[in-house]
Amino acid sequence: MKSTWACLIAILCFTTHLTEIHAQPRLNDDGETEENQRTIANVSAIGQYPPLPVPFFRGNDPRFTNSQGFYFHFWKFLLVVLLFLLWAKTSSWVDEDSRGLKSNTEFWSSAILVAGGLGFLLVFCMPSFIVGFFVLLLAYGTPLGFYIHERNAKVPPSSRVMTPDHIRNLTIRYLARMGIRIGGTKTQQAAVGPDIRFIGKSSTGRGDDPTSSRRVENSRGFLAAKELVYDAIMRRATDVHLEPKDDEVGVRLRIDGVMYPTEGFDRSIGEAVLNIFKVLGAMDITERRRPQDGSFRAIMPDREIDFRLASQGTRHGEKMSLRILDQTNSIASLSELGLRKQLVDKLGTIVKQPHGLFLCCGPTGAGKSTTLFAALHEIDSYQRNIITVEDPVEYRIENVTQIEINQKAGQTFAESLRSILRQDPDVVMIGEIRDAETARIACQAANTGHMVFSTVHANDTFTALYRLIDLEVEPFMLASSLSALLAQRLARRLCPDCKEPYQPNPEFLKKANLPPDKVKCFYRLPKSREFVCPTCSGLGYMGRISVVELLEFNERMRDMIRDASNMSQLKAQARKNGMLYMKEEGLRLVVKGITSIDELLRVVK
Ligand SMILES: [Zn+2]
């Protein structure tokens, strides 16, 4: 491609040179050269002392530079140069566009190059500029017109070019970039897209790379990418999945933990969108099979959002998932988790203890880290030294040292935990306890005056306790360090504007141990789906609430763990202390009308 350009520029220079040789000095209206006229003027002044030949110049006389020595008509030449630049730009667009659409790139590129090259040659050789320029326009426009006609037939109406809509949008977009806004908000949005700005990551992963953001701005699918991300954020989605299929790229959003399919993309646009995200995330766009990950940021008028990307080759092509980390959605305190007041108070006292071990358990996506972050927010980070080790860091907290480790690269939680204990922390949060070593160091830390927070992958509190004992932590170590275990799930809240009351089955109430006289009604999703509720956009649910089970350890229970008593004895003791199982806590939410019974049974088995 580059060599072709060099060749063309050489042709242009050569033709310029040729015309220079054949050019004649200009004649004025009477058909005489300006030189002759000056001689005549001198002759008419006979008898007088000839004036000093003042304008004496060595070399080129500046008075004549515009007539002699410069043989081009300025405006005509400018016109040709401008057309040349336009031709260069469109040729590279055709090259890129036809590659994206899998058209015959070689054919179209060479047709446009050869025809254009000939046109430029002719404009300098033709005796009449008008005819030459007309021929040039024809040579430039004809293959381009055919190409546009062919590609427009292939793509959906929204991505056709040179249609009245496209030209109007292009104008609005260029004017908007210069700060000039025309048309209403709707026209603006159709042309410039929603108000969201992407900021790419540099290839090192640290810091921003403004060039990648600029690179994607003019690529195909940029508007579609902007709209997709904006729509996902507006719908409160936490993940966006781009999944290639036979002839399209499917899009699914995860909202409140449940996947919803939405409108997909035409295959070529979908792939362009995927490439835009890869460029922003500093990922290798030529690698389409091996898994890759990356990240970038987006700025909206009222907030800043982080994105984590993961791509992976599948049978149909490359799949990508975008995790949306909206800092405004992060929970700032325990009271925002939606727990009843009694539990919030209990948790508050536990997490503010000077030392101990507080563990959150539940499956992936049950909100364990959100709870731990809420707990960390309760602690005065100015007076106490808080250090976290995460894989990866998802939410930033002020005044807390957050360390990111990469388990795939061989870093382990155990190793980092041991090293951060040398940093004199008061409070330590560690992403997950998965192996014996981490469990042992966490217990040791808790016993030596640190408050330790972590998560365990287990379904409920007693299973988590089993897991710890299974990891061969000494029972006396465990007994003296454990403060509390919290198991949790996230249930979707019913939309307050469209939930529907109904009379629960009395037998069910009896089975669930609920007094039938006290429970007036339960709530559920609206039966009729004709009316789409604007609050929840017809989903019926809006946000999520934690359903928890808190197991606190008192002296009696510590003794039981030390003596390796069996679980049923422990359970009985915990119930005696007033512990409620997760299902019971959840039923309270159902009775209050916060969630539905179906939803509770979905998340708590
Ligand atoms: Zn609703």
Side-chain angles (χ1 to χ4, degrees):
M1 203 64 197
K2 283 224 173 103
S3 58
T4 336
W5 289 128
C7 199
L8 284 167
I9 289 165
I11 293 174
L12 198 65
C13 294
F14 179 66
T15 41
T16 316
H17 189 69
L18 255 184
T19 7
E20 254 177 44
I21 294 167
H22 294 292
Q24 296 287 327
R26 264 198 206 170
L27 297 181
N28 65 12
D29 295 343
D30 303 333
E32 291 170 319
T33 61
E34 288 178 34
E35 198 75 30
N36 292 345
Q37 260 189 340
R38 242 180 304 152
T39 337
I40 295 163
N42 283 346
V43 168
S44 69
I46 291 174
Q48 284 175 1
Y49 188 74
L52 259 181
V54 175
F56 173 74
F57 298 99
R58 292 186 61 210
N60 287 335
D61 188 333
R63 284 171 302 167
F64 304 129
T65 42
N66 281 336
S67 50
Q68 294 179 354
F70 192 79
Y71 303 98
F72 282 112
H73 192 286
F74 178 72
W75 292 110
K76 287 178 188 169
F77 186 67
L78 188 73
L79 210 61
V80 175
V81 169
L82 283 178
L83 200 66
F84 178 76
L85 293 176
L86 194 69
W87 174 65
K89 192 150 174 71
T90 32
S91 313
S92 72
W93 170 76
V94 168
D95 189 66
E96 200 179 299
D97 190 66
S98 57
R99 253 175 241 280
L101 289 172
K102 299 200 170 68
S103 298
N104 192 344
T105 309
E106 266 161 33
F107 171 74
W108 287 114
S109 285
S110 37
I112 286 170
L113 278 178
V114 170
L118 276 175
F120 283 106
L121 206 65
L122 281 175
V123 80
F124 288 105
C125 300
M126 286 264 180
S128 156
F129 175 78
I130 305 283
V131 176
F133 194 72
F134 183 71
V135 172
L136 171 60
L137 276 182
L138 219 63
Y140 166 62
T142 317
L144 186 67
F146 275 114
Y147 174 71
I148 289 173
H149 181 76
E150 200 208 70
R151 63 92 63 193
N152 275 2
K154 274 188 184 176
V155 297
S158 60
S159 37
R160 285 186 190 149
V161 298
M162 298 318 282
T163 57
D165 270 350
H166 176 244
I167 293 169
R168 194 197 56 181
N169 288 349
L170 213 62
T171 322
I172 295 176
R173 214 175 303 161
Y174 272 102
L175 288 177
R177 212 175 286 170
M178 289 187 279
I180 306 166
R181 298 198 167 251
I182 51 165
T185 342
K186 262 207 178 138
T187 9
Q188 276 288 327
Q189 206 157 47
V192 196
D195 198 352
I196 182 166
R197 197 154 54 85
F198 294 143
I199 296 176
K201 269 276 156 68
S202 64
S203 50
T204 51
R206 313 216 176 274
D208 300 329
D209 177 18
T211 53
S212 68
S213 325
R214 244 173 282 131
R215 233 174 93 199
V216 296
E217 229 163 80
N218 291 317
S219 38
R220 221 155 49 86
F222 180 64
L223 207 60
K226 256 171 115 174
E227 281 167 354
L228 171 69
V229 169
Y230 188 80
D231 182 52
I233 292 167
M234 286 297 127
R235 288 174 191 266
R236 303 176 298 106
T238 50
D239 300 81
V240 180
H241 294 264
L242 291 165
E243 293 151 334
K245 290 176 188 156
D246 282 331
D247 51 351
E248 58 152 23
V249 174
V251 178
R252 285 198 289 169
L253 303 179
R254 191 183 283 280
I255 303 168
D256 290 335
V258 180
M259 292 274 251
Y260 292 96
T262 76
E263 207 185 327
F265 290 116
D266 189 75
R267 183 88 195 208
S268 71
I269 295 286
E271 278 171 10
V273 167
L274 214 133
N275 264 345
I276 285 173
F277 292 139
K278 282 174 84 175
V279 171
L280 287 170
M283 293 152 83
D284 180 3
I285 50 168
T286 54
E287 174 62 70
R288 301 167 62 89
R289 286 175 189 281
R290 259 182 294 170
Q292 291 189 73
D293 46 37
S295 63
F296 68 94
R297 287 191 301 141
I299 293 178
M300 284 169 74
D302 56 341
R303 55 187 144 173
E304 199 183 310
I305 294 148
D306 287 325
F307 293 89
R308 259 169 212 292
L309 303 166
S311 72
Q312 163 84 59
T314 67
R315 193 170 65 85
H316 285 294
E318 198 174 17
K319 178 197 181 311
M320 176 175 275
S321 68
L322 267 101
R323 161 143 293 189
I324 302 173
L325 300 167
D326 190 346
Q327 300 291 341
T328 49
N329 284 353
S330 64
I331 298 265
S333 70
L334 286 173
S335 52
E336 283 173 45
L337 292 174
L339 306 176
R340 58 195 166 94
K341 197 176 171 304
Q342 222 180 332
L343 273 178
V344 175
D345 293 345
K346 258 192 204 170
L347 278 175
T349 23
I350 293 167
V351 301
K352 282 184 202 149
Q353 285 168 353
H355 58 89
L357 179 60
F358 177 73
L359 297 175
C360 237
C361 51
T364 316
K368 294 177 297 225
S369 29
T370 308
T371 306
L372 286 188
F373 275 108
L376 286 184
H377 272 291
E378 299 285 315
I379 300 167
D380 186 349
S381 61
Y382 287 92
Q383 291 199 6
R384 306 181 74 187
N385 183 12
I386 307 177
I387 304 182
T388 70
V389 186
E390 300 159 68
D391 177 24
V393 171
E394 291 202 342
Y395 290 102
R396 297 183 282 265
I397 331 179
E398 217 180 303
N399 221 22
V400 167
T401 313
Q402 290 177 284
I403 297 169
E404 186 165 287
I405 65 158
N406 189 348
Q407 294 191 86
K408 271 183 236 150
Q411 289 169 299
T412 63
F413 276 126
E415 196 180 291
S416 344
L417 181 55
R418 209 176 298 128
S419 69
I420 60 164
L421 285 174
R422 291 195 283 267
Q423 300 284 334
D424 182 32
D426 297 302
V427 179
V428 174
M429 194 203 99
I430 184 114
E432 192 185 358
I433 293 184
R434 218 182 350 205
D435 54 286
E437 203 185 353
T438 318
R440 215 171 300 131
I441 304 169
C443 285
Q444 269 166 12
N447 278 330
T448 50
H450 303 94
M451 186 67 207
V452 182
F453 293 91
S454 190
T455 67
V456 180
H457 201 93
N459 280 334
D460 58 75
T461 48
F462 289 102
T463 325
L465 193 59
Y466 258 136
R467 271 226 2 101
L468 289 172
I469 294 169
D470 233 28
L471 287 174
E472 294 180 353
V473 184
E474 300 288 342
F476 72 90
M477 287 275 283
L478 202 58
S480 48
S481 56
L482 264 180
S483 311
L485 281 167
L486 183 84
Q488 89 170 75
R489 299 285 187 281
L490 289 175
R492 290 177 292 170
R493 288 171 191 260
L494 280 167
C495 167
D497 293 339
C498 63
K499 62 183 178 186
E500 210 175 70
Y502 71 100
Q503 205 64 48
N505 187 345
E507 252 172 59
F508 173 82
L509 291 180
K510 212 164 123 198
K511 229 162 81 188
N513 238 343
L514 293 169
D517 51 318
K518 275 198 185 156
V519 180
K520 289 204 182 65
C521 64
F522 278 5
Y523 286 88
R524 64 182 168 203
L525 290 182
K527 271 250 166 79
S528 81
R529 287 287 177 159
E530 283 157 31
F531 156 75
V532 174
C533 165
T535 316
C536 58
S537 20
L539 295 182
Y541 293 105
M542 199 46 199
R544 284 188 288 179
I545 188 164
S546 311
V547 183
V548 300
E549 171 180 300
L550 180 67
L551 175 59
E552 271 186 292
F553 295 93
N554 58 9
E555 274 318 308
R556 173 90 192 88
M557 288 177 75
R558 285 180 210 283
D559 286 341
M560 289 168 88
I561 296 176
R562 241 177 246 128
D563 303 340
S565 312
N566 63 29
M567 274 299 158
S568 51
Q569 278 174 308
L570 259 172
K571 266 186 193 170
Q573 183 62 38
R575 295 289 277 179
K576 222 189 205 166
N577 296 344
M579 176 196 175
L580 284 183
Y581 289 142
M582 206 184 288
K583 217 174 232 174
E584 294 164 327
E585 290 279 1
L587 273 174
R588 285 173 173 242
L589 298 175
V590 175
V591 171
K592 279 190 203 157
I594 294 172
T595 191
S596 67
I597 193 79
D598 290 341
E599 177 64 9
L600 180 68
L601 294 177
R602 184 183 73 91
V603 294
V604 184
K605 294 240 164 58

